């Protein structure tokens, strides 16, 4: 189970990030710098396996949320540098939650409960249909309105199952 953490802010720069001395990975990895508006800065290392919600192309100035494994080792440098697992380009009227969801479809942090409908799309990260129960898994949940209860309840538009 991944301990998903996130950082949200505006993209301040995007650069190629070399990971080895040979040229075969040149251009495959990016460093995306994000500032939250209060001066906090994070660098996300984006790899070919980083999942971009809606395959969105991110540019300088975009508001994004980057998710990373809070238990993964990181270099002790400033600004912090995390391997991005999921990147979300923020869109109006669309919310995204990345977390482990229990057998009751409640997020591990207890903040969101999912109510599935026949119209909720269940997909794998490769875009193929997911045909079993999404409970007890890491999920990327795309949803709109939710209740103001705790946990908030929503009927998601789409769920991407992180196998």
């Amino acid at each position: 189970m991944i301990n998903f953490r996130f950082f949200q802010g505006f993209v301040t720069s995007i650069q190629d990030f070399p990971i080895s001395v040979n040229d075969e990975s040149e251009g495959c990895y990016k460093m995306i710098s994000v500032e939250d508006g209060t001066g906090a800065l994070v660098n996300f290392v984006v790899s070919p396996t980083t999942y971009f919600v809606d395959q969105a192309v991110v540019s300088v100035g975009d508001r994004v949320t980057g998710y990373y494994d809070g238990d993964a080792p990181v270099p002790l440098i400033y600004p912090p540098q995390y391997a991005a697992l999921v990147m979300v380009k923020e869109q109006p009227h669309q919310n995204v939650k990345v977390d482990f969801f229990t057998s009751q479809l409640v997020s591990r942090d207890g903040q969101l409960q999912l109510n599935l409908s026949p119209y909720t799309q269940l997909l794998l990260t490769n875009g193929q249909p997911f045909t079993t129960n999404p409970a007890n898994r890491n999920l990327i949940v795309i949803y709109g309105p939710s209740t103001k209860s705790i946990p908030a309840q929503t009927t998601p538009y789409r769920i991407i199952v992180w196998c």
Side-chain angles (χ1 to χ4, degrees):
M1 180 177 359
I2 298 171
N3 179 16
F4 287 103
R5 300 282 184 209
F6 69 91
F7 186 84
Q8 187 174 52
F10 293 94
V11 175
T12 58
S13 73
I14 301 173
Q15 303 171 17
D16 283 337
F17 184 73
I19 62 160
S20 65
V21 292
N22 62 23
D23 291 332
E24 66 188 45
S25 68
E26 185 176 358
C28 294
Y29 290 78
K30 303 287 182 189
M31 174 81 74
I32 298 179
S33 298
V34 179
E35 184 181 347
D36 72 353
T38 66
L41 184 66
V42 163
N43 289 330
F44 286 107
V45 177
V46 174
S47 74
T49 60
T50 301
Y51 184 83
F52 279 78
V53 171
D54 297 327
Q55 294 183 342
V57 176
V58 174
S59 303
V60 171
D62 288 342
R63 183 168 174 79
V64 299
T65 302
Y67 290 87
Y68 60 94
D69 184 348
D71 294 333
V74 295
L76 292 174
I77 58 173
Y78 182 82
Q81 182 175 297
Y82 302 115
L85 300 174
V86 178
M87 293 294 291
V88 179
K89 181 177 177 179
E90 299 297 327
Q91 302 290 336
H93 312 295
Q94 175 178 288
N95 301 301
V96 177
K97 175 80 169 180
V98 180
D99 207 348
F100 178 84
F101 283 78
T102 67
S103 61
Q104 303 299 316
L105 291 175
V106 176
S107 61
R108 182 174 43 183
D109 65 5
Q111 297 298 307
L112 186 65
Q113 181 173 3
L114 308 180
N115 299 315
L116 301 183
S117 86
Y119 302 106
T120 301
Q121 287 183 307
L122 292 171
L123 303 169
L124 295 167
T125 54
N126 64 9
Q128 298 304 301
F130 183 79
T131 55
T132 63
N133 187 344
N136 292 314
R137 296 178 184 271
N138 293 315
L139 304 176
I140 303 167
V141 179
I142 295 103
Y143 64 100
S146 64
T147 65
K148 294 185 187 242
S149 61
I150 297 179
Q153 295 186 32
T154 189
T155 303
Y157 304 140
R158 189 167 20 128
I159 297 173
I160 294 99
V161 179
W162 187 287
C163 290

